[in-house]
Amino acid sequence: MSLILHAGKSNKNAYKALIAAEYAGVQVELAPNFEMGVSNKTPEFLKMNPIGKVPVLETPDGPVFPVFESNAIARYVARSKDDNTLYGSSLIEYAQIEQWIDFASMEIDANITKWYYPRAGYAPFLPPAEEFAITSLKRALSALNSHLATNTYLVGHSVTLADIILTCNLYLGFAYILVKSFTSEFPHVERYFWTLVNQPNFRKIVGQVKQAEAVPAVQSAKKPSQPKESKPKAKSEPKAVAKKEPEPKEEEEEVAPKPKAKNPLDLLPPSKMVLDEWKRLYSNTKTNFREVAIKGFWDMYDPEGYSLWFCDYKYNSENTVSFVTLNKVGGFLQRMDLARKYAFGKMLVIGSEPPFKVKGLWLFRGQEVPQFVIDECYDMELYEWTKVDINDEAQKERVNQMIEDYEPFEGESLLDAKCFK
Ligand SMILES: N[C@@H](CCC(=O)N[C@@H](CS)C(=O)NCC(=O)O)C(=O)O
């Protein structure tokens, strides 16, 4: 039997329970026909949550035993099945998960909403209060960034309830107010956020997330949400602290969709090199790699239609834990999915002991690292990019060795070699 969750479809607080349900294998359904401002003001709803806020969960014990407050709901969902690791596997992990849940709520969510809600018109705008919220948020993100430099997840080696709650809170920020120039100060938080929101269990609930392109301009405070019948715009008085569920997706839908622009790389003069042919040759060559694949690569290579690039991770000294380093590279390749039609890449994780070096080779359509990749994939700025001079035999040999996973590479063994094709 499904648990019923009362909330709108784009409520980040409801996402917490819905994502936890995916991980825990619990069935949770959104109440049908829920309408924000109407459904949560009925007498039946107010019996479940007297403050009239969402989300609220109906439990199998009936409407007399509902649960409100999104963290409590997510905890209930996570604990309604025993055989999952959302709460870790020891008392100390449990305590740390609770610690990060509080941190996510009090230090991250509270400061993001203190910054965003006044700008969106859900609370009064006071410049010194905004300044304090931003300073406090930066302080929290900086601590989080340091923790994530050596940890893939907040606690242990897999997703826990703390990651779910923190990511949902960060989602509101990334989607509506935390622009790239703000988040780039916290590269490990960026890597963590994009890796988690792209996990299938998150993606299924949240969909594809796009980072805010601008900090919203200040709006005048909106009126409180009212049942539709009362025609709130005509009759109700504006109330300074009126708070309404931000329903971003619905807001977005009001804007007419822009026609999809053609990728500028599709407008380049045709190339004799067919990327898929090279990818096939690479995948199908099992023996005599030098003679077959590498030779085939240079026979196909079109230096006018394509360019080759070395990349070098800028923060190798932080690569102190092997699986965190491997996850970092894996996440990068996942995020490069948008460039599959235009790129081929090899990423080497080098060294037999920490700190590991991450170096790569990329083949891109065109003569530059494509701008849409720089714009969309934040990992790009974590690397130093150098165009390969194919007239330099030493550089050409380095290309060959990277394609081939040659060992020892620059005198060191390889921990791993990942291919993007
Ligand atoms: N601390 C609560 C916050 C709930 C909350 O603020 N809900 C908003 C939507 S995100 C709401 O229902 N607003 C309607 C109102 O204020 O009347 C939780 O985590 O569940």
Side-chain angles (χ1 to χ4, degrees):
M1 205 185 82
S2 283
L3 300 164
I4 305 293
L5 188 64
H6 296 260
K9 286 196 180 73
S10 56
N11 182 311
K12 66 103 179 147
N13 282 332
Y15 289 165
K16 297 173 187 174
L18 295 170
I19 296 166
E22 293 296 325
Y23 277 98
V26 176
Q27 290 211 317
V28 178
E29 270 172 35
L30 285 174
N33 310 320
F34 179 89
E35 214 179 314
M36 192 62 193
V38 179
S39 314
N40 56 319
K41 304 296 167 191
T42 62
E44 298 77 52
F45 187 94
L46 295 173
K47 266 190 222 152
M48 295 195 291
N49 183 2
I51 198 173
K53 288 194 177 192
V54 297
V56 170
L57 185 75
E58 269 183 60
T59 70
D61 301 295
V64 191
F65 293 105
V67 184
F68 57 82
E69 284 295 330
S70 60
N71 290 352
I73 297 171
R75 287 181 173 103
Y76 177 91
V77 170
R79 295 179 68 166
S80 55
K81 276 221 174 147
D82 292 335
D83 56 345
N84 70 71
T85 53
L86 290 179
Y87 257 116
S89 50
S90 63
L91 180 60
I92 184 64
E93 282 192 353
Y94 166 79
Q96 287 176 338
I97 290 163
E98 287 295 339
Q99 160 202 294
W100 284 112
I101 290 176
D102 282 356
F103 177 89
S105 310
M106 317 300 283
E107 307 293 340
I108 301 291
D109 190 47
N111 289 312
I112 290 176
T113 53
K114 279 181 200 154
W115 183 9
Y116 174 61
Y117 282 174
R119 286 192 168 256
Y122 303 130
F125 175 74
L126 299 165
E130 174 170 284
E131 206 185 307
F132 187 60
I134 296 172
T135 309
S136 308
L137 180 61
K138 283 189 170 178
R139 182 176 169 195
L141 287 174
S142 164
L144 181 61
N145 196 56
S146 304
H147 180 73
L148 294 173
T150 49
N151 293 281
T152 305
Y153 303 104
L154 289 174
V155 181
H157 303 316
S158 61
V159 169
T160 66
L161 192 62
D163 296 301
I164 296 174
I165 290 176
L166 174 62
T167 303
C168 290
N169 292 339
L170 286 172
Y171 159 77
L172 180 78
F174 271 78
Y176 298 104
I177 198 160
L178 305 183
V179 295
K180 179 74 193 143
S181 57
F182 180 88
T183 58
S184 58
E185 255 187 69
F186 313 102
H188 303 295
V189 176
E190 288 185 323
R191 184 259 308 151
Y192 168 84
F193 175 73
W194 292 114
T195 303
L196 283 179
V197 281
N198 284 306
Q199 297 299 307
N201 286 338
F202 280 79
R203 194 75 189 245
K204 191 169 165 196
I205 303 301
V206 186
Q208 192 175 3
V209 181
K210 211 169 172 310
Q211 186 159 14
E213 282 177 5
V215 173
V218 179
Q219 311 274 313
S220 53
K222 287 178 185 167
K223 295 165 186 177
S225 51
Q226 292 280 332
K228 275 193 176 160
E229 298 75 31
S230 67
K231 295 203 175 99
K233 277 185 186 149
K235 291 185 186 156
S236 66
E237 287 297 306
K239 200 163 127 196
V241 290
K243 228 176 113 194
K244 176 178 174 284
E245 177 188 26
E247 286 178 281
K249 286 190 180 159
E250 283 163 28
E251 278 166 23
E252 275 166 16
E253 275 160 19
E254 282 171 20
V255 181
K258 288 190 196 128
K260 212 167 179 281
K262 221 172 161 52
N263 189 313
L265 298 184
D266 292 329
L267 307 174
L268 291 174
S271 166
K272 71 174 176 69
M273 181 170 193
V274 180
L275 192 58
D276 279 342
E277 252 173 46
W278 156 241
K279 290 184 179 181
R280 262 196 304 279
L281 178 66
Y282 175 89
S283 303
N284 295 338
T285 308
K286 306 286 178 229
T287 52
N288 292 339
F289 203 82
R290 271 269 160 166
E291 294 70 26
V292 182
I294 303 282
K295 180 175 178 310
F297 175 77
W298 291 113
D299 288 347
M300 288 178 191
Y301 184 62
D302 164 20
E304 274 158 29
Y306 284 83
S307 53
L308 282 162
W309 295 82
F310 292 129
C311 69
D312 207 336
Y313 193 63
K314 289 184 198 164
Y315 311 101
N316 282 324
S317 63
E318 289 176 0
N319 294 333
T320 51
V321 182
S322 58
F323 72 87
V324 175
T325 312
L326 296 175
N327 286 349
K328 216 173 337 196
V329 175
F332 174 33
L333 296 190
Q334 238 178 40
R335 289 181 283 278
M336 283 299 278
D337 190 48
L338 77 171
R340 209 164 290 283
K341 250 177 84 182
Y342 312 100
F344 167 87
K346 282 303 293 269
M347 293 297 297
L348 308 184
V349 182
I350 304 160
S352 50
E353 52 191 53
F356 302 99
K357 300 187 190 83
V358 180
K359 297 182 184 198
L361 168 78
W362 287 84
L363 170 73
F364 289 123
R365 183 79 167 99
Q367 291 306 307
E368 300 301 331
V369 176
Q371 190 58 44
F372 78 95
V373 176
I374 298 173
D375 293 343
E376 301 283 329
C377 182
Y378 81 87
D379 306 70
M380 299 303 283
E381 66 185 31
L382 304 178
Y383 293 83
E384 209 66 67
W385 292 89
T386 316
K387 197 170 192 175
V388 177
D389 175 0
I390 58 162
N391 298 314
D392 176 335
E393 280 309 316
Q395 290 193 32
K396 227 172 142 177
E397 176 52 23
R398 191 167 188 261
V399 170
N400 295 344
Q401 294 191 358
M402 289 185 120
I403 298 180
E404 201 184 2
D405 310 340
Y406 184 88
E407 259 183 298
F409 182 80
E410 297 179 341
E412 291 188 86
S413 59
L414 294 180
L415 179 69
D416 197 12
K418 293 184 191 288
C419 181
F420 175 88
K421 53 185 190 319

